[in-house]
């Protein structure tokens, strides 16, 4: 064994390993270092890639403001490449001194404060347009928490700013429109809480916007309209529907004004319901006008009572109520008697006062629940409802008649008037408004016929009369054209000689189905309808032609009396037509006599006087018919130049030597003679009447004793016979 090789191979390996270990560790360390550097670079690259692809600009600076990093978005916006930007001077050149100062100042601010710094800049970017940028700067800390720089974030808010601007503009527009509109505008949220009002609304309520928003709207709405409003809101809100309603809103002066409110639902751009917007209009004036129009349409201006229209509505309601409550109602038709005379003699003003006073008296007779109306002229109606017997009706009707008959003190004069009342009962007498009205009207006419100042109940017989009336009226219109009329002649005898010198022409109507209809039945209808004018002309012309025929054919002059009713005088201006007709036939005035009634002279007008004078001037005598039945006044006879006086049949009928009618007849004859009038006694049926009248010096007689009214051919035979017998 050699001394130099006293080391084992194992030891050699051990020492070798010891010597190499630091080298190996060093190599491993270098390897690890290289590996972590790569990882760091990889992660940095990854981070940069993420930052570059972010839609916002991001950069890092050191504490002096030098860029250490900028992302691609930032570079794209600015229009520089990253390398250029890292060179601070090129950025500063780009943004200018002013902005550079701002930039450095904001960096300082960021470093000073704890929170991020947020600032705004307007910069022209690569695209050449001015952009609004929002810049956020935050401190950059290292791992030990040391501030080493600034992280900057840049967001292009140009579009957002523009959208905001547009929104502001449109809001300003809306406000301008809302403020300048002539409407009260409000905005409400989804809970129907008001959120805004325009100036006009605030002017209306007299509150500021804040006060109005605090105010409970319920207190401003008229209590009567509140429920309506709530119902309207409720029903439309749920469905998010537009609504229109009218209600009364309290004005700043404390009065309520009528408002027409239009509410429209509001939706966001995304279609979300956001509440309502409404425009309201003050329609108080329109409502007032409507009210006035309604009042004019439903109330009588003079008395303030409901008019015909309103009355019909009320009657309909009352009828329905009676039906439900199983009771009856009475309809009273009140007509003032001879009201026309008051109007004519005292003037329309007094007439109006009388109507006002009369309406008050009627009101005082009925309960508050009873309805009174003025149908027009002197006609009033009363509806007495809730009746269980007729006793009350009679009591009230009697009271109305009594109150109206008491004197009226009008413009310092006492005026007397009475009333006639027709009563009809629902449902007994009729079940329709028109039927009840007709009934009450007929019953009222009945009361008038019975002597006025009384009431009369409707009876079915009146209905028959009314129907007959209507039938006659309809048929009368065609009677002339269809030649259904004929004239009969009744002789008028000279009581001294017994000679027939005159005849009264009396009309006869041969109705095709009803047979002979008495003039007493159709003349009043002809008078009321005005048909008497046409019929009267027909009578006159026929009678004149007949006189002419007898003159020409037999050489006999017979004086024919023609009845002319007051209506004929009233509707005509003069009598020249008839006179001309007589002349055209070559007849004299004396061939005709006009019979008038006392009623005509009671209400004389200028025209009536003129017509009477025209007859006198044409030598046509005038005869006063039915003397003693009306307001007989001998003064009239004198005043109007009357030639004959016909004592009415009602006197002749009861003549006996000592009767009062005898005394009256004698008196009339004496007085008439004194006034230069000749007297004709009507209705002589007996020889006794004949003799008594003759003895009383009556000039002429007419009656069945001598002859009934007979057709023309029979009359001429009678006349010739009479002439012969008188001659013998
Ligand atoms: P009046 O003008 O008073 O005519 C006389 C009426 O008495 C006639 O009735 C005649 O028939 C009737 N009379 C004549 N003598 C007697 C008698 O002795 N006893 C009875 N009980 N009656 C007698 P009449 O023809 O029915 O006419 C009725 C009324 O109708 C007339 O009354 C007259 O007011 C009216 N009247 C008739 N014809 C016309 C006409 O053409 N025009 C107008 N406006 N009225 C007429
Ligand atoms: Mg007559
Ligand atoms: Mg007569």
């Amino acid at each position: 064994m050699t001394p130099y090789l006293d080391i084992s191979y194992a030891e050699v390996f051990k020492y070798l390993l010891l010597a190499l270990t630091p080298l190996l560790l060093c190599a491993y360390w270098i390897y690890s270092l290289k590996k972590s550097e790569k990882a760091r670079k990889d992660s940095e690259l990854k981070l940069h890639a993420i930052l570059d692809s972010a839609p916002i600009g991001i950069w890092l600076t050191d504490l002096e403001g030098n860029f250490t990093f900028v992302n691609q978005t930032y570079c794209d916006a600015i229009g520089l490449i990253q390398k250029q930007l890292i060179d601070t001077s090129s950025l500063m050149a780009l943004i200018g001194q002013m902005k550079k100062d701002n930039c450095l100042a904001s960096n300082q601010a960021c470093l000073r404060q704890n929170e991020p710094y947020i600032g705004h800049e307007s910069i022209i970017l690569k695209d050449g347009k001015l952009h609004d940028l929002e810049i956020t700067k935050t401190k950059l800390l290292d791992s030990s928490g040391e501030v080493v720089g600034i992280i900057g974030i840049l967001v292009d808010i140009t579009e957002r700013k523009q959208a905001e601007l547009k929104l502001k503009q449109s809001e300003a527009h809306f406000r301008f429109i809302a403020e300048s509109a002539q409407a009260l505008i409000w905005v409400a949220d989804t809970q129907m809480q008001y959120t805004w009002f325009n100036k006009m609304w605030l002017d209306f309520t007299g509150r500021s916007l804040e006060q109005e928003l605090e105010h409970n709207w319920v207190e401003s709405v008229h209590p009567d309209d509140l429920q309506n409003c709530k119902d309207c809101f409720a029903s439309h809100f749920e469905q998010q529907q537009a609504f229109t309603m009218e209600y009364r809103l309290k004005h700043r002066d404390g009065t309520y004004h009528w408002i027409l409110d239009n509410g429209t639902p509001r939706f966001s751009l995304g279609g979300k319901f956001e509440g309502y917007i409404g425009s309201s209009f003050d329609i108080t004036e329109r409502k007032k006008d409507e009210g006035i129009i309604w009042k004019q349409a439903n109330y009588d201006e003079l008395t303030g009572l409901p008019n015909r229209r309103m009355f019909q509505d009320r009657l309909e309601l009352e009828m329905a109520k009676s039906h439900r409550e199983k009771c009856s109602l009475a309809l009273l038709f009140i007509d003032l008697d001879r009201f026309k005379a008051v109007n004519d003699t005292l003037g329309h003003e007094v007439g109006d006062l009388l109507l006002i006073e009369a309406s008050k008296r009627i009101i005082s007779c009925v309960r508050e629940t009873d309805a009174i109306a003025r149908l027009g002229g002197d006609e009033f109606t009363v509806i007495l409802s809730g009746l269980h017997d007729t006793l009350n009706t009679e009591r009230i009707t009697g009271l109305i008649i009594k109150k109206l008959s008491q004197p009226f003190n009008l413009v310092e004069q006492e005026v007397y008037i009475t009333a006639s009342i027709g009563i009809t009962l629902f449902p007994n007498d009729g079940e329709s408004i028109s039927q009840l009205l007709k009934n009450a009207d007929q019953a009222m006419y009945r009361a008038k016929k019975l002597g006025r100042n009384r009431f009369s109940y409707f009876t079915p017989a009146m209905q028959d009369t009314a129907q007959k009336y209507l039938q006659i009226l309809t048929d009368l219109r065609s009677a002339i054209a269809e030649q259904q009329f004929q004239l009969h002649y009744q002789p008028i005898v000279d009581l001294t000689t017994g000679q027939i010198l005159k005849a009264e022409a009396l009309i006869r109507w041969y109705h095709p189905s009803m047979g002979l209809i008495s003039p007493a039945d159709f003349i009043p209808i002809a008078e009321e309808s005005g048909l008497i004018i046409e019929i009267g002309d027909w009578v006159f012309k026929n009678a004149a032609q007949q006189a002419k025929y007898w003159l020409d054919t037999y050489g006999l002059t017979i004086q024919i009396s023609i009845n002319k009713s007051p209506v004929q005088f009233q509707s005509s201006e003069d009598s020249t037509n008839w006179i001309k007709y007589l002349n055209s036939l070559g007849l004299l005035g004396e061939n005709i006599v006009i019979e008038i009634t006392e009623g005509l002279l009671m209400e004389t007008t200028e025209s009536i006087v003129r017509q009477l004078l025209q007859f006198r001037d044409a030598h046509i005598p005038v005869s006063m018919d039915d003397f003693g039945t009306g307001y007989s006044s001998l003064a009239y006879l004198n005043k109007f130049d009357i030639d004959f006086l016909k004592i009415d049949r009602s006197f002749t009928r009861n003549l006996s030597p000592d009767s009062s009618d005898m005394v009256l007849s004698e008196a009339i004859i004496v007085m008439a003679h004194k006034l230069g009038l000749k007297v004709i006694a009507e209705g002589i049926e007996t020889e006794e009447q004949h003799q008594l009248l003759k003895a009383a010096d009556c000039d002429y007689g007419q009656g069945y004793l001598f002859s009934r009214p007979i057709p023309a051919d029979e009359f001429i035979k009678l006349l010739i016979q009479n002439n012969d017998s008188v001659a013998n």
Side-chain angles (χ1 to χ4, degrees):
M1 176 154 175
T2 65
Y4 297 102
L5 284 172
D6 200 16
I7 293 172
S8 66
Y9 282 108
E11 273 190 356
V12 170
F13 183 73
K14 185 182 146 192
Y15 285 120
L16 197 64
L17 201 67
L18 277 172
L20 284 174
T21 299
L23 265 175
L24 284 170
L25 279 173
C26 200
Y28 179 75
W29 179 73
I30 290 167
Y31 167 78
S32 301
L33 214 63
K34 284 250 171 183
K35 201 177 164 192
S36 77
E37 176 67 11
K38 187 177 176 296
R40 193 184 61 83
K41 275 200 173 164
D42 282 353
S43 103
E44 206 166 84
L45 277 174
K46 256 187 213 163
L47 182 67
H48 282 197
I50 291 167
L51 292 177
D52 280 343
S53 62
I56 52 175
I58 302 169
W59 72 92
L60 303 175
T61 63
D62 60 18
L63 289 172
E64 278 71 47
N66 302 313
F67 284 104
T68 53
F69 169 78
V70 280
N71 75 343
Q72 197 54 45
T73 314
Y74 189 90
C75 295
D76 291 346
I78 304 286
L80 294 174
I81 56 170
Q82 279 166 319
K83 200 174 163 319
Q84 284 174 309
L85 272 169
I86 304 292
D87 175 1
T88 322
S89 60
S90 46
L91 173 71
M92 292 310 169
L94 187 82
I95 62 176
Q97 187 60 41
M98 255 269 280
K99 294 235 182 324
K100 182 181 146 192
D101 292 346
N102 286 352
C103 185
L104 293 176
S106 63
N107 281 358
Q108 291 309 312
C110 167
L111 293 173
R112 264 199 315 273
Q113 64 195 38
N114 288 331
E115 312 82 49
Y117 164 88
I118 299 172
H120 293 95
E121 291 283 350
S122 295
I123 299 175
I124 297 172
L125 294 184
K126 190 177 102 185
D127 59 5
K129 289 179 188 161
L130 190 68
H131 285 247
D132 286 305
L133 306 172
E134 188 182 82
I135 297 159
T136 310
K137 293 184 175 178
T138 318
K139 282 179 244 180
L140 177 66
L141 306 177
D142 66 6
S143 53
S144 60
E146 191 88 0
V147 179
V148 291
I150 291 169
I151 305 169
I153 293 173
L154 177 140
V155 181
D156 189 341
I157 54 165
T158 313
E159 279 182 15
R160 198 179 84 199
K161 276 262 180 177
Q162 274 171 357
E164 271 175 19
L165 191 71
K166 268 191 192 154
L167 198 71
K168 267 190 191 155
Q169 277 172 347
S170 84
E171 207 176 299
H173 266 137
F174 160 75
R175 267 173 211 270
F176 177 74
I177 293 167
E179 292 295 12
S180 57
Q182 284 305 300
L184 291 81
I185 296 177
W186 52 264
V187 179
D189 63 14
T190 50
Q191 303 306 308
M192 200 54 207
Q193 294 295 321
Y194 289 109
T195 55
W196 189 78
F197 295 95
N198 75 342
K199 188 171 173 303
M200 200 162 164
W201 179 290
L202 301 174
D203 284 349
F204 181 93
T205 60
R207 286 183 280 268
S208 69
L209 180 61
E210 292 71 33
Q211 287 170 329
E212 194 62 40
L213 292 174
E214 286 285 301
H215 183 75
N216 185 359
W217 66 271
V218 165
E219 288 166 24
S220 296
V221 175
H222 193 286
D224 291 350
D225 301 334
L226 194 56
Q227 198 50 47
N228 249 358
C229 279
K230 285 183 175 173
D231 291 348
C232 179
F233 284 152
S235 64
H236 291 84
F237 238 72
E238 226 160 86
Q239 313 288 323
Q240 298 171 5
Q241 283 172 336
F243 63 81
T244 298
M245 64 178 176
E246 290 182 3
Y247 65 95
R248 278 159 289 177
L249 184 70
K250 201 183 247 175
H251 187 260
R252 63 193 305 165
D253 67 9
T255 61
Y256 282 100
H257 285 214
W258 274 103
I259 298 291
L260 170 70
D261 202 359
N262 301 300
T264 315
R266 294 186 295 125
F267 297 96
S268 70
L269 286 176
K272 197 171 147 245
F273 175 59
E274 291 189 326
Y276 271 79
I277 179 161
S279 54
S280 314
F281 299 92
D282 189 333
I283 53 164
T284 312
E285 283 308 310
R286 196 191 84 194
K287 280 275 178 188
K288 259 190 216 161
D289 291 347
E290 280 173 7
I292 292 168
I293 293 167
W294 183 82
K295 200 158 183 219
Q296 281 170 346
N298 290 284
Y299 284 85
D300 167 47
E301 212 180 314
L302 183 69
T303 60
L305 288 177
N307 63 12
R308 181 181 290 271
R309 188 199 179 115
M310 179 84 156
F311 156 75
Q312 292 201 354
D313 289 350
R314 181 73 192 266
L315 182 56
E316 201 175 338
L317 284 178
E318 293 294 347
M319 280 161 67
K321 199 170 145 215
S322 296
H323 205 78
R324 277 197 310 276
E325 294 174 4
K326 300 208 171 3
C327 54
S328 54
L329 70 78
L331 173 63
L332 274 52
F333 208 105
I334 306 168
D335 190 283
L336 303 183
D337 300 324
R338 299 209 173 86
F339 174 71
K340 191 174 177 298
V342 175
N343 248 351
D344 290 349
T345 51
L346 303 174
H348 284 266
E349 273 148 37
V350 177
D352 284 353
L353 288 177
L354 180 77
L355 289 172
I356 294 168
E357 199 50 43
S359 70
K360 286 184 191 158
R361 291 192 189 179
I362 299 171
I363 292 169
S364 73
C365 298
V366 300
R367 299 167 302 182
E368 239 177 58
T369 48
D370 297 323
I372 306 168
R374 180 179 172 220
L375 298 194
D378 57 351
E379 291 174 351
F380 296 88
T381 52
V382 175
I383 304 168
L384 303 175
S385 48
L387 299 178
H388 293 284
D389 55 55
T390 56
L391 280 178
N392 232 0
T393 310
E394 273 164 40
R395 188 184 58 77
I396 294 171
T397 313
L399 193 62
I400 295 174
I401 288 176
K402 191 174 154 208
K403 283 218 174 167
L404 289 176
S405 65
Q406 283 159 9
F408 288 81
N409 287 311
L410 308 170
V411 205
E412 290 170 16
Q413 41 188 326
E414 275 204 337
V415 181
Y416 286 85
I417 199 141
T418 55
S420 298
I421 304 181
I423 308 170
T424 190
L425 301 171
F426 168 84
N428 272 26
D429 300 340
E431 301 220 357
S432 71
I433 292 184
S434 59
Q435 184 64 57
L436 289 176
L437 274 173
K438 259 191 244 161
N439 292 355
D441 194 42
Q442 286 162 17
M444 186 273 290
Y445 268 103
R446 178 88 189 126
K448 288 231 185 247
K449 262 203 169 151
L450 290 175
R452 302 185 170 99
N453 194 23
R454 68 192 64 216
F455 66 83
S456 173
Y457 274 103
F458 167 79
T459 63
M462 288 178 197
Q463 180 72 15
D464 296 343
T465 315
Q467 262 162 12
K468 203 172 156 205
Y469 177 98
L470 218 82
Q471 166 97 52
I472 288 178
L473 182 61
T474 315
D475 296 346
L476 254 187
R477 296 186 197 280
S478 52
I480 292 183
E482 292 176 11
Q483 300 185 340
Q484 292 164 4
F485 291 128
Q486 217 189 344
L487 281 186
H488 281 195
Y489 296 89
Q490 187 176 31
I492 297 173
V493 178
D494 183 328
L495 289 184
T496 326
T497 62
Q499 196 179 0
I500 299 173
L501 295 175
K502 309 169 189 294
E504 180 171 5
L506 293 159
I507 194 166
R508 297 290 175 261
W509 181 15
Y510 292 95
H511 189 278
S513 61
M514 289 192 254
L516 182 67
I517 301 179
S518 156
D521 288 335
F522 73 85
I523 291 291
I525 300 174
E527 285 178 336
E528 271 174 43
S529 61
L531 284 169
I532 192 71
I533 318 287
E534 206 187 329
I535 295 172
D537 282 342
W538 181 89
V539 169
F540 172 77
K541 284 181 181 163
N542 267 266
Q545 284 164 15
Q546 194 61 63
K548 168 81 173 151
Y549 176 76
W550 286 329
L551 181 68
D552 291 352
T553 316
Y554 305 99
L556 293 168
T557 303
I558 198 88
Q559 197 178 39
I560 301 179
S561 300
I562 287 150
N563 294 284
K564 185 167 181 176
S565 87
V567 180
Q568 285 170 273
F569 277 95
Q570 279 149 12
S571 65
S572 152
E573 276 306 300
D574 63 46
S575 303
T576 47
N577 275 357
W578 283 16
I579 296 164
K580 276 186 198 148
Y581 189 76
L582 272 191
N583 294 340
S584 74
L585 293 178
L587 289 176
L588 298 172
E590 287 90 9
N591 288 122
I592 295 290
V593 173
I594 302 295
E595 291 197 9
I596 60 167
T597 54
E598 288 166 326
L600 178 75
L601 301 185
M602 271 185 66
E603 292 170 14
T604 44
T605 60
E606 255 179 52
S607 154
I608 292 172
V609 173
R610 186 170 55 245
Q611 291 174 62
L612 288 173
L613 291 177
Q614 282 170 342
F615 284 136
R616 190 195 62 189
D617 295 345
H619 305 289
I620 299 174
V622 175
S623 183
M624 172 65 75
D625 205 354
D626 307 336
F627 188 80
T629 53
Y631 288 82
S632 311
S633 163
L634 289 166
Y636 288 139
L637 304 177
N638 210 20
K639 190 171 159 199
F640 293 104
D641 239 330
I642 306 294
D643 302 280
F644 297 102
L645 187 155
K646 295 184 86 169
I647 298 178
D648 191 67
R649 203 167 69 226
S650 52
F651 290 92
T652 317
R653 189 167 48 222
N654 303 319
L655 280 187
S656 60
D658 300 317
S659 62
S660 58
D661 282 337
M662 186 68 230
V663 177
L664 269 173
S665 300
E666 280 172 340
I668 292 170
I669 294 164
V670 170
M671 277 190 279
H673 284 167
K674 283 252 180 262
L675 293 168
L677 277 82
K678 298 270 186 207
V679 181
I680 303 167
E682 289 186 303
I684 302 178
E685 293 185 358
T686 65
E687 192 50 43
E688 189 191 13
Q689 291 162 353
H690 175 200
Q691 292 311 324
L692 284 169
L693 286 160
K694 196 175 165 182
D697 214 11
C698 182
D699 305 284
Y700 302 97
Q702 179 181 351
Y704 294 171
L705 179 69
F706 310 111
S707 167
R708 286 178 177 262
I710 45 176
D713 49 351
E714 282 181 42
F715 178 81
I716 193 65
K717 278 185 210 154
L718 183 72
L719 186 69
I720 293 167
Q721 218 178 9
N722 173 263
N723 274 358
D724 289 349
S725 68
V726 173
N728 297 328

